[in-house]
Amino acid sequence: MLWDTHIHTYYSGDSSAVPEDMAYAAKHTGLSGICFTDHLDLDYPKEPELFLLDIPRYLEETRSIAQDASDTLENFTICTGIELGLQPHLAGRHQKLLREYDFDFVIGSSHVVHSIDPYYPEYYEGREESQAYLEYFSSILENILAFDDFDVYGHLDYVVRYGPNQNRFYSYQTYRDIIDEILKLLIGHGKGLEVNTGGFKYGLGHPNPTEEILKRYRELGGEILTIGSDAHKPEHVAYDFQKIPEILQEAGFRYYTVFRQRKPQFLPLP
């Protein structure tokens, strides 16, 4: 069975989910384990307090749930991670935070591009959608070059969830040069990639990133690949996970990855 290693709870500003409810939803779907990965987005535009995380309380509660689960839920594991919203000028603060607190897993994600979240329509105003997407991918390169103490990069083409046409005119081939540069940089730094099924939930018909990008990552030598639903509600845990084994096998993967104490473990695909 698979793990869902991208899950949000009421510790994230965009979720009201109770952690225990997320854990029991995951167990009910037949997963082998989960990792809580609540948001920390420092210097978030418009709403600076929205994605701040009470880390001591978060760690205390999720670890208590994990201990309880080890006693009551057979063959089910709960880990605690974090999703860092990367921006180059935050590199020092992120590094200090990771020296202070221990997590099982760290996702690095791009939610803010040059002081604006692509979630907001104004990110796309006054320019072609393709220019907005290109700036997003360029910002990922900036983030990795500034800070690489994460385990995987999350939802690599997150931007297409919110573009005016979403992924109607989007493809790996259109942005091949810069996406390849990102993938090579991740592989060169020993970092992994996340396959995020939130793309299906947003009606894209594909995960984030797309199947083509997953295949290209494997062709370039990428091996570290985690699976996450990006769930913010119990009913979205393991969203469309039944599609994942075939997608990954067609991309050339035979294993997927989970992290415990920041160390990768490779598990066979079911």
Side-chain angles (χ1 to χ4, degrees):
M1 292 295 102
L2 298 173
W3 283 57
D4 189 338
T5 57
H6 192 149
I7 287 180
H8 296 283
T9 73
Y10 54 40
Y11 284 99
S12 292
D14 55 356
S15 174
S16 59
V18 176
E20 290 95 333
D21 292 347
M22 301 297 272
Y24 278 92
K27 176 63 176 175
H28 180 72
T29 66
L31 296 181
S32 294
I34 61 168
C35 189
F36 294 114
T37 52
D38 276 299
H39 285 294
L40 177 63
D41 275 75
L42 301 169
D43 197 19
Y44 187 77
K46 291 193 175 185
E47 300 176 82
E49 307 295 318
L50 183 62
F51 294 116
L52 298 184
L53 178 61
D54 184 344
I55 295 176
R57 185 174 163 223
Y58 168 63
L59 290 175
E60 180 181 9
E61 181 170 355
T62 55
R63 286 172 178 170
S64 175
I65 293 168
Q67 181 58 51
D68 291 345
S70 69
D71 297 332
T72 60
L73 298 179
E74 186 177 357
N75 299 320
F76 187 75
T77 303
I78 297 175
C79 295
T80 298
I82 191 169
E83 183 180 12
L84 294 178
L86 303 184
Q87 298 183 65
H89 69 283
L90 299 175
R93 294 175 66 182
H94 287 154
Q95 196 67 67
K96 181 180 178 182
L97 181 145
L98 294 178
R99 286 196 297 264
E100 185 174 355
Y101 298 103
D102 295 323
F103 297 97
D104 285 301
F105 180 45
V106 177
I107 301 174
S109 294
S110 292
H111 298 132
V112 176
V113 180
H114 305 143
S115 300
I116 188 167
D117 188 337
Y119 171 83
Y120 295 108
E122 53 261 43
Y123 176 75
Y124 308 91
E125 290 176 358
R127 57 178 170 169
E128 295 293 328
E129 184 179 66
S130 59
Q131 292 176 309
Y133 287 4
L134 185 60
E135 183 183 8
Y136 180 83
F137 289 124
S138 297
S139 78
I140 293 177
L141 288 175
E142 295 168 6
N143 286 333
I144 299 170
L145 291 170
F147 175 82
D148 70 354
D149 192 10
F150 53 84
D151 300 313
V152 304
Y153 218 94
H155 45 53
L156 194 74
D157 51 10
Y158 159 93
V159 68
V160 305
R161 293 179 180 179
Y162 307 110
N165 297 287
Q166 290 190 308
N167 61 344
R168 183 180 175 190
F169 304 112
Y170 164 75
S171 71
Y172 158 68
Q173 292 296 333
T174 304
Y175 302 92
R176 179 184 182 115
D177 290 346
I178 194 163
I179 291 175
D180 277 4
E181 192 174 351
I182 292 168
L183 297 178
K184 290 174 183 177
L185 193 58
L186 288 173
I187 294 167
H189 285 235
K191 306 304 171 182
L193 192 64
E194 177 197 42
V195 53
N196 186 305
T197 62
F200 292 116
K201 180 166 64 74
Y202 281 86
L204 304 178
H206 302 277
N208 296 116
T210 63
E211 295 88 342
E212 285 182 298
I213 295 174
L214 297 172
K215 182 177 180 181
R216 182 59 174 156
Y217 172 67
R218 186 71 193 97
E219 289 173 348
L220 291 169
E223 297 180 328
I224 300 171
L225 190 80
T226 62
I227 303 168
S229 65
D230 211 347
H232 291 66
K233 299 178 180 180
E235 58 264 35
H236 293 150
V237 172
Y239 193 91
D240 270 357
F241 267 31
Q242 73 278 5
K243 298 177 180 177
I244 291 300
E246 182 178 357
I247 287 173
L248 297 190
Q249 288 164 4
E250 289 184 355
F253 292 92
R254 296 296 175 264
Y255 295 83
Y256 71 102
T257 313
V258 299
F259 281 81
R260 302 186 70 176
Q261 298 179 329
R262 303 291 306 276
K263 292 181 171 52
Q265 300 178 0
F266 295 90
L267 304 177
L269 289 166

